[in-house]
Amino acid sequence: MDRGAAGSHRAATTSPESVARLAADLAAAGFTVAGIEALWERGAESESTHPGAALRRGHRVPALRALDRVTDALALTTLVRLFVLGVPVASAALDAALPTLGATGAEELGLVAADPDTDDGREVRPLADLRPYAFRDAAGEEEWWLASDPGELVTGGPLAEEHVLGIGGASTTLSGLLLQSHVGTTFDLGTGCGIQAMHAARFSAHVVATDISARALDYARFNAALNGIDGIEFSLGSLYEPVAGERFDRIVSNPPFVITPRQPGVPTYEYRDGGMVGDGLVEAVVRGAGEHLAPGGIAQLLGNWEYPAAGVGAGDGIGDGLERIAGWATAAGLEYWIVERERQDPSEYAETWIRDGGTRPGTPQFEAMHAAWLEDFAVRGVESVGFGYVLLRRPLDGVAPRLARAERQHGPLGDNPGGLGAHLAEVLAASDLVVGLDDAGLRALRVEVAPDVTEERHHWPGAEQPTVILLRQGGGFGRVIDAGTGLAALVGAADGELPLGVLSDAIADLLDVDAAELWDELGAAVRELVAGGLLRPAGASGASA
């Protein structure tokens, strides 16, 4: 039973029978990622013109022209035209595309409405964006349909403040980061259309999903029902209020982390603006996780954090952006691994999020909001804003915190077909093992190089010895390590057969250097390579946290 369940704001009815008929009709029409991609390929006007690529850039004309060129697959083209491109279609065409639900059933579900521009009601227009979403994780390949509010492509102007976002870059990023080992309970804070809760349900016995938006919860319930996903409890409320006093094995959150001026004329979108000044929302999520994670539990979220200008806030405990968010975690008694992926100056940041809301550059509205954003940052002395991934862990009872890692990885990621989640889990498990070892224990450890690591050597023309030796990680964060001769030799010999101490001493003999001094250098480097996923304890492939 839903705690604090809200009435429907999206659909007149969400009867199980109607939802089941919709799912059957979508499947029969081939309304899948592969099916739509095949439409674009068949209808493209040339090999160099890809309608799907233009659509991702926000232009639907090539896609509409492609659909006009496909004369069969009428059910699929009707559904794509209506729900993906947001173009009205004839009621009779929708009846044919959804033969068991029909246009009337779609209207009852709140997906379409009679087009007011047609007197005879023979056309319907979309009230929702509905599209397939395919992915792969540790449980295998899966494909869902996800409904949300129509975007700017359909509305033709700025989004409504209560807009419910569908599949976006942030949501797919977070879902790819999620750890994929099975747990008992997961809390999805700020579920939106429900995508993170649905992912979590694949690896959790029970999921609690909350949002401050009743409209978002309606979509989330609908999406779970449409895809036959059970075990999710939905609740209306802000932050941790709906789960006061409860603890979870996992917390996932794509919170409304966008830093927005609290000024008249600047819209505050429920899906992205948390209603707090600066990065206060992210701070609240991080600090609150300490009270709601079970021992050993892990929280994963995306976030923004502010960097103050030089000399600003020195007496207020405000420092480097990464130091600040690490401080919030430490104050909550949590271990942390924070990865900053990018950093923007105030103008770049403002431009990004004003445009995200559908306000176009060059308009008076855009310029007024741009000025408000810059004034807000200037008054508070903010020099730049970081964005990245946050992993928090509550230590087991009686165990001192050991994981404390904050880093900047602004370059491209490695190749991670199933997302970063598997990499994070493997690295966490390996790091937990290595961080608990003293020097003797580390020397006795056997390690092996990860299979995605390659070595790159640079020589001056004619030189025998390389001037630079680089270790490159093919997956994970795509790390590049500048390795000296000794470390490169150790990594090259790391096949899990010999202890690290034996390898280090043998390399010292080969290089004719002091064995103790070399070990001091290599031992510290090994810990970093394990923490980065380039080396791993022998036999530890596929470990999970």
Side-chain angles (χ1 to χ4, degrees):
M1 179 128 182
D2 290 358
R3 47 187 125 181
S8 176
H9 288 251
R10 184 198 57 81
T13 177
T14 53
S15 72
E17 295 80 7
S18 295
V19 174
R21 287 196 290 270
L22 173 62
D25 286 342
L26 295 177
F31 192 56
T32 65
V33 171
I36 295 175
E37 186 65 24
L39 282 183
W40 302 149
E41 292 178 359
R42 292 174 58 198
E45 297 186 76
S46 69
E47 292 185 3
S48 61
T49 301
H50 194 286
L55 189 61
R56 287 187 288 273
R57 296 192 299 269
H59 305 290
R60 63 182 176 184
V61 170
L64 289 169
R65 289 174 64 86
L67 295 184
D68 290 340
R69 295 167 68 89
V70 177
T71 57
D72 56 357
L74 296 182
L76 179 57
T77 57
T78 296
L79 295 175
V80 171
R81 192 181 299 272
L82 180 68
F83 290 124
V84 177
L85 303 184
V87 176
V89 301
S91 296
L94 187 57
D95 282 332
L98 301 176
T100 63
L101 181 67
T104 299
E107 187 169 4
E108 291 174 352
L109 285 175
L111 298 174
V112 301
D115 192 334
D117 293 333
T118 57
D119 295 333
D120 56 9
R122 293 179 182 174
E123 283 193 342
V124 293
R125 59 184 175 86
L127 297 181
D129 181 287
L130 177 65
R131 65 184 63 209
Y133 162 66
F135 63 93
R136 184 177 75 184
D137 60 17
E141 294 185 355
E142 183 59 275
E143 187 157 3
W144 295 328
W145 299 290
L146 288 173
S148 61
D149 279 331
E152 177 194 352
L153 194 69
V154 178
T155 65
L159 304 177
E161 293 190 31
E162 67 274 13
H163 179 82
V164 177
L165 191 67
I167 305 166
S171 59
T172 54
T173 293
L174 181 58
S175 64
L177 291 171
L178 298 185
L179 302 182
Q180 298 172 13
S181 56
H182 288 270
V183 295
T185 57
T186 294
F187 172 41
D188 177 16
L189 189 162
T191 193
C193 73
I195 184 172
Q196 305 305 332
M198 292 164 63
H199 275 286
R202 290 168 66 80
F203 302 98
S204 306
H206 183 68
V207 177
V208 176
T210 66
D211 206 286
I212 63 169
S213 166
R215 184 181 184 85
L217 290 177
D218 284 336
Y219 270 116
R221 290 188 188 94
F222 177 82
N223 287 329
L226 181 60
N227 294 285
I229 298 173
D230 299 318
I232 304 176
E233 177 185 356
F234 297 97
S235 182
L236 182 69
S238 176
L239 291 171
Y240 296 96
E241 292 173 0
V243 295
E246 298 183 59
R247 292 189 182 274
F248 299 87
D249 301 312
R250 293 265 169 81
I251 295 175
V252 301
S253 183
N254 182 13
F257 56 74
V258 176
I259 299 167
T260 304
R262 304 300 156 198
Q263 297 183 21
V266 178
T268 54
Y269 295 105
E270 288 181 336
Y271 75 88
R272 72 180 202 191
D273 301 314
M276 298 184 183
V277 175
D279 51 18
L281 189 283
V282 175
E283 179 179 1
V285 174
V286 170
R287 289 182 182 272
E291 300 176 6
H292 293 279
L293 282 173
I298 289 176
Q300 293 180 270
L301 61 137
L302 305 180
N304 278 152
W305 39 86
E306 295 182 337
Y307 283 81
V312 174
D316 301 323
I318 301 175
D320 174 277
L322 281 180
E323 292 175 359
R324 294 177 64 241
I325 191 168
W328 303 336
T330 301
L334 298 172
E335 300 176 302
Y336 59 85
W337 182 5
I338 305 161
V339 181
E340 184 178 272
R341 292 291 296 138
E342 66 175 313
R343 187 170 166 182
Q344 292 183 306
D345 66 43
S347 185
E348 290 177 304
Y349 188 84
E351 293 163 17
T352 296
W353 292 110
I354 297 170
R355 186 66 190 90
D356 175 80
T359 301
R360 298 179 182 275
T363 62
Q365 294 85 357
F366 188 99
E367 294 186 354
M369 282 192 274
H370 200 176
W373 242 285
L374 295 183
E375 177 65 15
D376 177 63
F377 283 134
V379 167
R380 293 187 295 106
V382 176
E383 179 267 336
S384 61
V385 180
F387 165 81
Y389 316 149
V390 180
L391 185 149
L392 308 167
R393 183 170 64 183
R394 181 181 176 87
L396 295 172
D397 292 339
V399 177
R402 298 182 296 180
L403 177 67
R405 188 178 182 92
E407 58 181 323
R408 295 179 176 89
Q409 293 290 333
H410 289 187
L413 294 173
D415 183 24
N416 301 283
L420 269 170
H423 173 77
L424 297 182
E426 183 174 335
V427 169
L428 279 176
S431 296
D432 285 343
L433 173 63
V434 172
V435 76
L437 298 177
D438 59 14
D439 193 64
L442 186 63
R443 284 182 62 84
L445 183 68
R446 291 173 168 81
V447 300
E448 57 189 12
V449 63
D452 63 336
V453 174
T454 57
E455 183 185 279
E456 180 180 309
R457 295 185 175 230
H458 296 256
H459 295 73
W460 289 113
E464 289 188 15
Q465 298 299 321
T467 55
V468 178
I469 303 175
L470 300 178
L471 301 175
R472 291 191 177 274
Q473 183 181 49
F477 286 98
R479 300 176 190 272
V480 180
I481 306 298
D482 189 351
T485 303
L487 182 59
L490 185 144
V491 171
D495 59 3
E497 295 296 323
L498 295 174
L500 281 169
V502 173
L503 289 178
S504 180
D505 291 346
I507 293 169
D509 286 341
L510 183 64
L511 299 179
D512 194 22
V513 298
D514 182 82
E517 291 181 0
L518 182 64
W519 172 249
D520 287 343
E521 174 188 331
L522 296 185
V526 164
R527 292 184 187 274
E528 284 299 309
L529 290 182
V530 170
L534 288 84
L535 288 177
R536 60 192 185 192
S541 60
S544 61

